[in-house]
Amino acid sequence: MTSPTVVAAAKWTTAHDLTGATAWYGQHDGPVVLKGTTKVLVVGGADAGGAALGRAAVYNPADDTWKATATQPSPRRLHTVTALADGKVLVTGGIGGSTAPGLASAEVYDPTADTWSPAGTMNQARWGHSAVLLPNGKVLVAGGTAVRAGRTTRALRSAELYDPAATTDATRWTTVGDMTDARSGHPAVALKDGKVLVVGGTAAVGTDRDPALAFCELYDPDRATWTPTGNLLRPRALHQATALSDTTVLVTGGRAPGAGDDGTFDPLSRRTAETYDLATGAWTAARDMPAGRAQHRAVALGPGKVLVIGGTGSDPDEAGYRSVVAYDAASDTWTTRAGLLTGRWAFAAAVLPDTKVLVTGGATRSGLAAADPTATELTAATELFDGSGA
């Protein structure tokens, strides 16, 4: 296999620090670019002790400033943040404390008024779920984790829709058909004709480490039903799924599986990537990334191009990666880009309208890699990258 091309072009540059060191460990907990602007909103997250944070801030690249919203949202982590068609932002579920049960509440942020307001109550309290905006303006919320009897947890099959046009709390949230498989911590990607692909994730089975899933399925908004589609070539958790086009998806990395195909143990082995084609419903192996990673971020930089940023190999005892690589679907190649100034995982990443990539917050070290092995080190550092050449 050929080595990745190395390009030492655009660099990451330091921006103003976030309002407080924060980590976002979920798949759909933000950030979002506010509609019609270049501003970025981040919401909630976790502090170094794992407690949920009740704050939100907006980054303005025009003057390189973070500003806290006038009112604050409820404390949440492992929640979802979704930009709505009207420019408002929906936040759902999550965990309200370090060990609290899941939340069923939802809130909407109005950037024009700079206010947060209640958005009804979901039919199921959940965290680690997915949330995707559909073409009809509704939001599909699916899966996640909930508490069962005895304080143990279970993965959810249930799904529901949020209707921002509803006039009463009773009609804001409606249930739709259950997913084929219960799952949590899964990415979900909007595709052609409003279909939504959910990819892998985990399901609680009572062990210390929830097993990764290879199962994938599609939601059809016209029928409000779920249909199984092709399985991943490898089960994945803590991975990323990014649209390459309106019919194709790239999946990267994930938690190291331990023993590889040859029976040897490789703690950093999740280098693999694969692509999904809606036309065939099948996954195909893509070229391996230069290095394995999990809890990274992957952002689309235009048709067929994805930037994969940071991550880690083993979050219990690891330092965050500075590594950044770019994927080009046309040539199935990876190009090594300039590394982050601060290595991190579980951070926020967004592409601005001018194709600059914003990265902020995240975990930098944990366990034996940290100065204090009992605490995870977080960062408030913010960086910008010119993604136009990636």
Side-chain angles (χ1 to χ4, degrees):
M1 183 174 293
T2 58
S3 298
T5 303
V6 177
V7 176
K11 302 289 187 180
W12 291 88
T13 57
T14 301
H16 198 278
D17 283 356
L18 184 64
T19 49
T22 309
W24 292 271
Y25 294 97
Q27 290 277 8
H28 295 267
D29 46 4
V32 297
V33 178
L34 298 176
K35 187 175 182 179
T37 76
T38 59
K39 298 178 180 179
V40 178
L41 172 74
V42 294
V43 183
D47 66 13
L53 298 173
R55 64 189 183 205
V58 175
Y59 177 74
N60 185 353
D63 56 9
D64 184 29
T65 58
W66 286 98
K67 181 180 179 182
T69 57
T71 56
Q72 298 297 302
S74 301
R76 301 174 191 268
R77 62 185 180 93
L78 297 176
H79 53 293
T80 66
V81 184
T82 310
L84 301 176
D86 62 1
K88 296 178 182 178
V89 178
L90 174 71
V91 175
T92 72
I95 298 175
S98 58
T99 59
L103 301 172
S105 62
E107 298 172 271
V108 164
Y109 177 66
D110 183 340
T112 302
D114 190 25
T115 56
W116 289 91
S117 57
T121 303
M122 292 189 293
N123 293 283
Q124 169 69 59
R126 61 183 86 219
W127 70 88
H129 49 295
S130 60
V132 176
L133 180 68
L134 302 177
N136 61 9
K138 297 180 180 181
V139 176
L140 172 70
V141 169
T145 300
V147 173
R148 70 163 83 224
R151 307 286 303 172
T152 59
T153 60
R154 62 189 175 97
L156 299 170
R157 293 176 58 213
S158 64
E160 48 192 302
L161 291 174
Y162 172 77
D163 185 356
T167 56
T168 65
D169 284 346
T171 57
R172 274 200 181 95
W173 290 96
T174 56
T175 58
V176 295
D178 287 351
M179 289 192 293
T180 304
D181 293 287
R183 69 184 77 225
S184 185
H186 54 282
V189 182
L191 295 173
K192 187 177 181 180
D193 300 329
K195 289 185 173 64
V196 176
L197 174 71
V198 296
V199 184
T202 64
V205 294
T207 59
D208 290 340
R209 193 183 209 187
D210 296 337
L213 303 176
F215 308 131
C216 302
E217 50 193 296
L218 286 167
Y219 177 76
D220 185 337
D222 294 332
R223 296 182 175 85
T225 57
W226 295 90
T227 305
T229 190
N231 288 345
L232 289 164
L233 302 177
R234 298 172 183 267
R236 296 180 190 265
L238 306 180
H239 54 300
Q240 290 276 281
T242 314
L244 293 169
S245 70
D246 62 0
T247 60
T248 57
V249 173
L250 173 73
V251 160
T252 54
R255 187 176 62 203
D261 295 337
D262 61 357
T264 59
F265 182 81
D266 179 0
L268 307 180
S269 61
R270 192 54 88 216
R271 297 175 56 199
T272 58
E274 43 191 298
T275 57
Y276 175 81
D277 188 337
L278 180 62
T280 64
W283 291 91
T284 304
R287 187 179 296 273
D288 287 354
M289 291 186 292
R293 66 188 76 210
Q295 291 193 320
H296 53 293
R297 299 300 182 195
V299 295
L301 293 178
K305 295 182 181 296
V306 173
L307 193 70
V308 175
I309 310 165
T312 185
S314 173
D315 59 359
D317 294 291
E318 189 61 272
Y321 297 168
R322 295 179 57 240
S323 166
V324 177
V325 292
Y327 180 72
D328 186 338
S331 57
D332 187 28
T333 56
W334 292 96
T335 303
T336 300
R337 307 296 296 182
L340 291 164
L341 301 175
T342 301
R344 63 187 87 195
W345 75 90
F347 53 92
V351 181
L352 305 181
D354 61 0
T355 70
K356 282 190 171 61
V357 179
L358 171 79
V359 162
T360 191
T364 57
R365 295 177 185 273
S366 67
L368 297 177
D372 178 1
T374 65
T376 299
E377 296 178 9
L378 305 185
T379 182
T382 301
E383 305 179 39
L384 289 170
F385 178 81
D386 183 356
S388 60

